[in-house]
Each structure stands twice: as structure tokens, then as C-alpha cells.
């Protein structure tokens, strides 16, 4: 592997462990970060459980999904990361997870996931859902295991921060690791809150203006959460 930014590697290891410790990632799922000085390359762990990732496990990938060092086993669904980085220059970090409360919103067409709480304001008023059957027909193993499926997922994501994947999980994007970790944690929390609230009665959601203004405020304070989470692992 070429020399890479050691601080970025340490932050990526921390992101893996934070997300695992909070139940967003388990044995599966992955988090990646784009390299500032080489935007066509990103860093991600080799194929392994996120809670066990150390700096030695971080591998440089190109946008075709190849590990730059040979002989390393990489995640099957690495094309999620490749194709989003290719299409979205604003994205510098990505989390793909199977966090459970979000999955419920990918399977009920009539109920979009949307912000019920100011901490998850980045979700706005509607969240896109990726239907793999539209891209690959009715008989897949549900995984994003090719560049074509990565591109179809990226198309569903559009300019949103998060795309739900029907019957599978979700993918969330951000401008940096602290922001994407924050979004992965608070999207799952919002899904739990929204489900609970819907069981109790008609829900009052954040409006578009409330969501936009609260998201701006939160973005200025994400460092506080990141410091706390880094310290706690
Ligand atoms: Mn998956």
C-alpha cells in the first residue's frame, strides 16, 4: 500500500469500532473514507467484522473495486462505495449497514422515513428506497455485488444523504467520517422514534424548513459527538 494519511486510517478504525459498539454495524456492514489527495481512491477494511478492525486491516481501493495491494479479500458489496464516490464528488465517507429499525422503512412503501427529531434533521421530509428487483429482476441474493448494481443504487440515492435498501439495509453518505458516523447513528435512532410514534398516533414531522435549519446547526456541532464517541471506544 502507498503511504496514506495515518490520521485518516486511525479515524477510519475508530469509525468501525464506534459503529460496531453502537449496534449499527455487526458482523456485516462497512465504512469507508475517500482520500483527500487521491479522490479516485478510498480506504476501507478488508473483508472482516468491523469491531475487530485495526490499522493493519485498512486497504486502499480504486473506484473499480480493486484493492491496490494484491491478495487481499475485500467486501463483496464494495461497489456501493465505488459507484457513489464516482457519482458524488461531495461525498467523502460512506456507511453501509443492516441496522434493524431502518430496514422496516424500506419494506413499507406507504410510509417514508423522515425526520421526527431535530438530531436527525438531515433526513429531511422523504428518504429514497432502492428496489433491487427494478435493477436485477426477482431472483438475486439482495447484495450489491457488481458495478451495475452499485450504479443502480447510486441512482436511487440521488442527491440524498441516505438510501434505504428494500429487505436489506441502508447506505448513508457524508462529507467526512464524523458526519457519516453521526448520520448512521441518528438515522437508526430516528427510525426507532418514528416507529414508536406511529404506534401511538398521528405523527408531527419536521417541516422542510425546520429540517434544513436544524441540520445546519447540527453540522456545526458534530465534533462534540465525535470526540465523545472516540473517547468511549
Ligand atoms: Mn449489505
Amino acid at each position: 500500500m502507498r503511504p496514506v494519511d495515518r490520521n485518516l486510517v486511525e479515524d477510519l478504525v475508530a469509525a468501525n469500532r464506534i459503529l460496531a459498539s453502537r449496534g449499527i454495524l455487526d458482523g456485516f456492514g462497512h465504512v469507508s473514507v475517500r482520500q483527500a489527495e487521491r479522490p479516485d481512491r478510498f480506504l476501507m477494511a478488508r473483508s472482516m467484522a468491523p469491531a475487530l478492525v485495526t490499522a493493519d486491516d485498512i486497504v486502499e481501493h480504486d473506484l473499480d473495486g480493486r484493492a491496490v495491494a494484491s491478495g487481499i479479500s475485500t467486501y463483496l458489496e464494495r461497489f456501493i462505495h465505488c459507484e457513489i464516490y464516482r457519482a458524488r464528488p461531495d461525498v467523502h465517507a460512506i456507511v453501509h449497514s443492516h441496522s434493524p429499525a431502518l430496514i422496516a422503512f424500506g419494506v413499507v412503501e406507504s410510509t417514508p422515513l423522515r425526520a421526527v427529531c431535530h438530531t436527525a434533521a438531515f433526513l429531511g421530509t422523504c428518504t429514497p428506497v432502492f428496489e433491487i428487483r427494478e435493477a436485477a429482476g426477482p431472483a438475486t441474493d439482495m447484495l450489491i455485488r457488481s458495478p451495475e448494481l452499485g450504479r443502480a443504487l447510486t441512482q436511487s440515492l440521488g442527491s440524498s444523504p441516505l438510501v434505504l435498501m428494500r429487505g436489506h439495509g441502508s447506505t448513508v453518505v457524508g462529507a467526512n467520517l464524523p458526519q457519516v458516523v453521526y448520520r448512521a447513528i441518528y438515522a437508526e435512532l430516528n427510525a426507532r422514534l418514528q416507529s414508536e410514534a406511529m404506534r401511538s398516533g398521528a405523527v408531527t414531522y419536521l417541516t422542510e424548513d425546520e429540517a434544513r435549519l436544524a441540520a445546519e446547526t447540527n453540522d456545526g456541532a458534530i465534533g462534540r459527538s465525535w470526540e465523545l464517541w472516540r473517547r468511549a471506544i
Side-chain angles (χ1 to χ4, degrees):
M1 192 163 92
R2 283 183 321 111
V4 295
D5 180 345
R6 300 319 293 178
N7 291 330
L8 196 61
V9 169
E10 289 306 324
D11 279 351
L12 182 55
V13 170
N16 273 273
R17 291 171 171 255
I18 290 164
L19 291 167
S21 73
R22 301 185 69 91
I24 305 299
L25 302 176
D26 50 16
F28 304 104
H30 16 88
V31 49
S32 72
V33 65
R34 196 202 289 267
Q35 295 192 87
E37 76 287 3
R38 190 76 206 262
D40 60 337
R41 296 274 173 88
F42 64 94
L43 302 177
M44 188 163 67
R46 63 186 175 85
S47 182
M48 66 183 296
L52 306 179
V53 168
T54 69
D56 291 340
D57 301 307
I58 301 300
V59 180
E60 195 177 21
H61 293 65
D62 68 20
L63 295 187
D64 294 321
R66 284 184 292 263
V68 173
S70 59
I72 290 170
S73 169
T74 50
Y75 289 120
L76 272 178
E77 294 194 285
R78 59 194 179 278
F79 303 105
I80 294 172
H81 304 258
C82 299
E83 297 305 326
I84 291 175
Y85 285 131
R86 209 192 293 278
R88 292 270 306 262
D90 59 311
V91 171
H92 292 266
I94 299 173
V95 174
H96 167 62
S97 87
H98 309 146
S99 65
L102 284 170
I103 294 176
F105 285 93
V107 297
V108 180
E109 230 174 292
S110 56
T111 307
L113 175 75
R114 54 183 293 190
V116 292
C117 177
H118 78 103
T119 49
F122 66 91
L123 288 172
T125 56
C126 192
T127 301
V129 180
F130 172 68
E131 172 51 81
I132 196 167
R133 290 176 196 161
E134 285 170 10
T140 68
D141 66 0
M142 308 292 288
L143 301 187
I144 305 297
R145 51 167 65 245
S146 70
E148 292 71 28
L149 284 170
R151 282 195 285 277
L153 177 70
T154 301
Q155 215 163 17
S156 290
L157 172 69
S159 58
S160 298
L162 187 144
V163 61
L164 298 167
M165 301 154 78
R166 195 267 309 159
H168 176 174
S170 59
T171 296
V172 58
V173 303
N176 49 52
L177 279 171
Q179 189 187 48
V180 85
V181 166
Y182 176 95
R183 286 177 169 181
I185 289 171
Y186 280 100
E188 174 71 9
L189 178 69
N190 190 90
R192 286 210 307 271
L193 290 173
Q194 189 177 344
S195 293
E196 264 174 47
M198 287 171 69
R199 278 196 291 277
S200 303
V203 178
T204 303
Y205 296 97
L206 268 68
T207 63
E208 241 168 71
D209 283 338
E210 288 169 340
R212 178 175 48 80
L213 292 167
E216 277 172 27
T217 300
N218 297 339
D219 279 342
I222 281 173
R224 194 191 310 180
S225 303
W226 177 248
E227 283 310 307
L228 169 69
W229 294 329
R230 278 209 67 152
R231 194 76 58 88
I233 56 170

